[in-house]
Amino acid sequence: MRRLIRSAAAATAAVGLAVIPTASAGATPEPSSQEWWFKGWSIQQQVWPLTKGQGVTVAVLDSGVNGNLPDMKPATLPGTDVVSGGNGWTDHDEQGHGTAIASVIASRGTKTGFVGIAPEAKILPVRTQSDGPYLSKAIRFAVDRGAKVINMSIGNQGATMYPDQCPPEVFSSIRYAIDKDVVLVASAGNTGDEDNAAEYPGSCPGVVAVGALGRDGHAWKKSQRQPYVAVGAPGVDVGGLSQTGHVWTTGEGTSQASALTAGAVALIRAKYPQMGAREVVQLLTNTTKDFGSPDQLGRGVVSIPRALRVKVPASAPNPVFARYDKAVAQAPKKSGGGGATSSAPAEKKSGGSSTMLFAGVGVVVIAVLVVGGVVLMRRGKSKGVSAGAPPAAPMGPPSFGRQPGGHTGPQRSPYADPSQQPGFGQPGGPQFGGQPGNGAPQFHPPAGGQEPRQ
């Protein structure tokens, strides 16, 4: 049976109005207090003086992006819809999952004041589904249109049915992307406290799979516990823009953690444009901060300030590419290139209801899917609030019925104002920027301020 979990932008409760300052024309606005990850990463003090992501295109493989929003229009390029056609500027998720993910990365904040961490990067919207044929086509489109970072806040629990937990056609496209010097980032999954199933594309070799960290300094309990998890990033109380332009100030999921990591990669690639994808991933994974839970947070929580300042030795470990190289060596050869072509067991078709399937495509999916018996998951649940008058609940009343894990009704944060929640971004709370420590690998920059090897 196909089971779908609500998207990162899906509302589970309205908890008030977001008060976020707007920006003057041409200026990057001051991030609001709700965007607590800015303080955790010291972005304004230690990151933006060095890079804001200029010159880097991030492909968002998701439900589409509403590129007509004032905050997103300057950032959004013409993309595509591999499911039903179009340029990717229509968000087919009812709450706007793809728009929210894109806004976390590169929103300009021109109307709402909600700012992405890489506000000078470009977004390439690619509307897709996580099933192998769609995903494979979406990855190749993104590569061919010049994306240097691909974010996939999507997941499919058919991973264990395939060699290396990845459908052959998807792995072939990942190889194509890596050969073209692209970094691929994906969410790890949101059922770590339930079935904890492996999910592609996060489980695919060569992909940076991201777990979610809470503001309390601990891994989010639902974040997948899997050996393929490479790093962690903030994923609790992380909001974004809905497809109507309202601001969700809180949400939780590895979708958001993946988006923030993709934004971090865009910042790194803008600062070091000659650094190859393999070296970027090595730098990212060797400059993390250790908050425990390696099964959920991999080598640690991404630290953008460290990644921009620390020199990582060429001999430093690179587990993402070590696994990728092994998979490539074991993959069947295909004449003319293109990667693995081995057959995989067919997945069984089955029906089921959806609580977050992109609006208007349910019939299309049922008609064309040749794989099934999997769980397609949008990784995140948001508790939305509006930047203006609160919109009508897009899926009916505040209670959306049965939630994952057997809970019913809305799942509220214990803090009415997320900015008051203790932890990251608050005085005395743990940080994931700044100086090496907390048990993370300590690679120090050489004297004279030499930058990382490119």
Side-chain angles (χ1 to χ4, degrees):
M1 175 178 181
R2 180 172 295 277
R3 180 169 62 91
L4 298 103
I5 297 178
R6 194 169 309 282
S7 77
T12 55
V15 295
L17 297 180
V19 181
I20 297 180
T22 57
S24 59
T28 301
E30 182 85 9
S32 74
S33 60
Q34 281 91 0
E35 294 185 82
W36 58 270
W37 48 97
F38 275 83
K39 289 184 178 179
W41 269 319
S42 300
I43 286 177
Q44 291 170 280
Q45 296 75 31
Q46 299 186 45
V47 176
W48 279 358
L50 302 176
T51 171
K52 289 187 177 181
Q54 186 175 19
V56 176
T57 296
V58 182
V60 174
L61 276 54
D62 214 288
S63 57
V65 174
N66 184 354
N68 290 304
L69 297 177
D71 297 72
M72 297 305 302
K73 193 167 187 177
T76 310
L77 301 169
T80 193
D81 181 336
V82 301
V83 179
S84 58
N87 68 355
W89 279 44
T90 299
D91 194 329
H92 290 262
D93 179 62
E94 293 190 56
Q95 281 74 42
H97 186 274
T99 304
I101 292 305
S103 69
V104 166
I105 298 169
S107 172
R108 302 310 198 236
T110 48
K111 182 177 180 179
T112 66
F114 185 90
V115 191
I117 63 169
E120 293 181 1
K122 293 290 188 179
I123 296 294
L124 180 69
V126 183
R127 189 255 179 136
T128 187
Q129 296 282 1
S130 70
D131 298 285
Y134 287 135
L135 187 55
S136 178
K137 185 176 180 180
I139 291 171
R140 289 177 181 269
F141 175 89
V143 173
D144 291 341
R145 294 307 187 277
K148 302 309 289 184
V149 187
I150 293 177
N151 182 75
M152 301 174 285
S153 291
I154 55 180
N156 192 315
Q157 288 193 351
T160 55
M161 301 183 71
Y162 299 100
D164 295 307
Q165 300 180 328
C166 191
E169 69 270 29
V170 175
F171 186 53
S172 177
S173 293
I174 289 170
R175 292 183 64 176
Y176 180 73
I178 290 174
D179 286 346
K180 299 290 186 178
D181 193 39
V182 179
V183 176
L184 301 102
V185 183
S187 43
N190 289 353
T191 62
D193 63 340
E194 299 177 41
D195 55 27
N196 191 41
E199 299 177 12
Y200 73 82
S203 62
C204 290
V207 175
V208 180
V210 188
L213 182 79
R215 292 180 70 172
D216 58 0
H218 298 291
W220 182 49
K221 66 179 181 180
K222 292 180 177 292
S223 193
Q224 233 70 348
R225 295 167 169 84
Q226 287 284 347
Y228 61 74
V229 179
V231 294
V236 178
D237 285 329
V238 178
L241 297 180
S242 74
Q243 64 167 312
T244 59
H246 296 279
V247 179
W248 307 112
T249 60
T250 58
E252 54 187 15
T254 58
S255 275
Q256 294 92 316
S258 177
L260 286 172
T261 301
V265 173
L267 292 166
I268 295 169
R269 303 215 79 170
K271 180 68 167 65
Y272 304 117
Q274 302 306 315
M275 185 179 289
R278 183 180 293 260
E279 288 71 36
V280 169
V281 173
Q282 184 182 45
L283 177 63
L284 184 79
T285 56
N286 282 279
T287 53
T288 56
K289 291 194 74 174
D290 185 2
F291 286 100
S293 303
D295 57 337
Q296 293 178 285
L297 301 175
R299 291 181 60 81
V301 176
V302 169
S303 175
I304 306 172
R306 288 186 185 182
L308 295 175
R309 290 176 170 84
V310 171
K311 179 181 175 65
V312 172
S315 60
N318 195 344
V320 172
F321 273 87
R323 181 173 177 236
Y324 171 75
D325 291 341
K326 181 179 179 181
V328 168
Q330 295 175 344
K333 297 294 186 279
K334 177 182 177 181
S335 59
T341 59
S342 61
S343 60
E347 300 176 43
K348 296 180 180 179
K349 263 190 174 181
S350 63
S353 62
S354 167
T355 60
M356 57 66 62
L357 188 61
F358 306 151
V361 301
V363 174
V364 176
V365 172
I366 293 172
V368 304
L369 284 182
V370 296
V371 292
V374 296
V375 178
L376 177 62
M377 176 169 30
R378 285 278 159 198
R379 289 150 180 172
K381 304 181 295 300
S382 283
K383 293 155 268 186
V385 299
S386 168
M395 295 184 67
S399 175
F400 295 99
R402 192 168 186 84
Q403 298 294 326
H407 301 292
T408 57
Q411 298 180 2
R412 297 177 179 270
S413 166
Y415 299 91
D417 180 357
S419 68
Q420 299 304 310
Q421 183 166 348
F424 292 124
Q426 302 299 320
Q431 303 291 302
F432 39 85
Q435 301 301 315
N438 292 340
Q442 299 189 24
F443 299 118
H444 299 280
Q450 182 180 344
E451 294 179 343
R453 183 178 303 166
Q454 298 186 1

